[in-house]
Amino acid sequence: SQQGEEDPQALSIQEGENATMNCSYKTSINNLQWYRQNSGRGLVHLILIRSNEREKHSGRLRVTLDTSKKSSSLLITASRAADTASYFCATSNSGNTPLVFGKGTRLSVIA
Amino acid sequence: DGGITQSPKYLFRKEGQNVTLSCEQNLNHDAMYWYRQDPGQGLRLIYYSQIVNDFQKGDIAEGYSVSREKKESFPLTVTSAQKNPTAFYLCASRPAGINEKLFFGSGTQLSVL
């Protein structure tokens, strides 16, 4: 079952602009994670935010979490062509249960 | 050099044939996972294992089988019962614990001849 739904499905921006992707989920969570996937490759973990956190930063990444709305957003500031990839949110609802992934947002950054 | 190794990178299956995808990790992780990814789609869980000699079905286990005889290894067999096996298969692992991230292999693209 797919828990997270990313929005938009695809996003195209110019280099230097900010990119915002959203993720909505259905059930209560322990944490929410964002991953990046380059075409034909495995996923790479970007950032994890716990259910008791509201905002987290890592370099050019900013993640917010609103548990009352069951939603999260990933902001990439000053985007670069190398940021072109698919971005997935994944949720964990308890203990060691497997992560459940959304369908992803395809980001294209045009130089 | 620590990480997860999936092999082969590309695999072709003839009708009626079983094929096995390899996944090996040297990260000393307890939990291992197999996901299937169809074009433009998210990841769907096939099987997972939290400990050696134990594994559980995910959302789409039909037509697949796994084993976990060693901590480092979690091979996936795509059986002839899986009628639509063409997809990108991803193996992942992580330590035991609630707030742990997944480490992924580089994937195997399986196609039907």
Side-chain angles (χ1 to χ4, degrees):
Chain A
S1 55
Q2 228 134 14
Q3 159 87 300
E5 288 288 335
E6 288 90 340
D7 168 58
Q9 289 187 335
L11 179 61
S12 184
I13 60 173
Q14 297 288 327
E15 207 167 29
E17 292 180 338
N18 295 343
T20 299
M21 289 158 268
N22 303 297
C23 170
S24 59
Y25 57 91
K26 296 172 186 169
T27 62
S28 62
I29 60 170
N30 179 280
N31 67 69
L32 186 145
Q33 304 180 27
W34 285 90
Y35 289 80
R36 166 195 167 125
Q37 183 182 34
N38 284 45
S39 181
R41 306 297 297 273
L43 278 70
V44 175
H45 180 265
L46 295 175
I47 197 165
L48 180 154
I49 187 164
R50 294 177 173 78
S51 59
N52 62 354
E53 297 175 314
R54 291 297 166 257
E55 188 170 311
K56 206 161 183 181
H57 296 254
S58 177
R60 292 185 296 114
L61 304 180
R62 172 178 169 250
V63 169
T64 61
L65 179 65
D66 186 336
T67 53
S68 66
K69 295 181 179 177
K70 292 187 170 58
S71 68
S72 172
S73 67
L74 171 67
L75 169 67
I76 304 174
T77 60
S79 62
R80 306 165 182 167
D83 294 328
T84 295
S86 292
Y87 292 82
F88 295 88
C89 68
T91 54
S92 171
N93 57 12
S94 67
N96 285 322
T97 55
L99 288 179
V100 179
F101 286 82
K103 294 185 178 179
T105 291
R106 282 193 322 280
L107 174 65
S108 298
V109 181
I110 303 163
Chain B
D1 205 12
I4 302 180
T5 301
Q6 287 188 242
S7 62
K9 178 72 175 172
Y10 300 97
L11 187 58
F12 296 91
R13 192 190 91 166
K14 295 179 182 177
E15 200 166 328
Q17 186 183 42
N18 293 353
V19 292
T20 297
L21 285 62
S22 170
C23 178
E24 303 275 333
Q25 54 99 0
N26 60 5
L27 301 167
N28 199 33
H29 286 170
D30 295 299
M32 297 187 74
Y33 306 83
W34 275 105
Y35 288 92
R36 168 179 171 144
Q37 186 177 31
D38 292 278
Q41 299 296 310
L43 280 65
R44 290 184 292 167
L45 183 66
I46 305 173
Y47 268 99
Y48 65 103
S49 168
Q50 309 272 30
I51 195 170
V52 174
N53 292 322
D54 188 39
F55 49 82
Q56 288 77 42
K57 292 182 179 180
D59 299 317
I60 55 165
E62 187 174 348
Y64 300 96
S65 66
V66 293
S67 63
R68 187 87 187 273
E69 297 175 0
K70 298 186 297 183
K71 189 175 186 177
E72 315 83 70
S73 178
F74 191 40
L76 173 74
T77 297
V78 184
T79 75
S80 57
Q82 173 50 248
K83 298 306 179 188
N84 183 22
T86 296
F88 191 53
Y89 290 85
L90 286 159
C91 179
S93 71
R94 68 175 175 178
I98 295 173
N99 293 317
E100 295 292 343
K101 65 182 183 182
L102 281 175
F103 292 77
F104 281 86
S106 56
T108 292
Q109 176 63 50
L110 175 62
S111 303
V112 177
L113 288 175

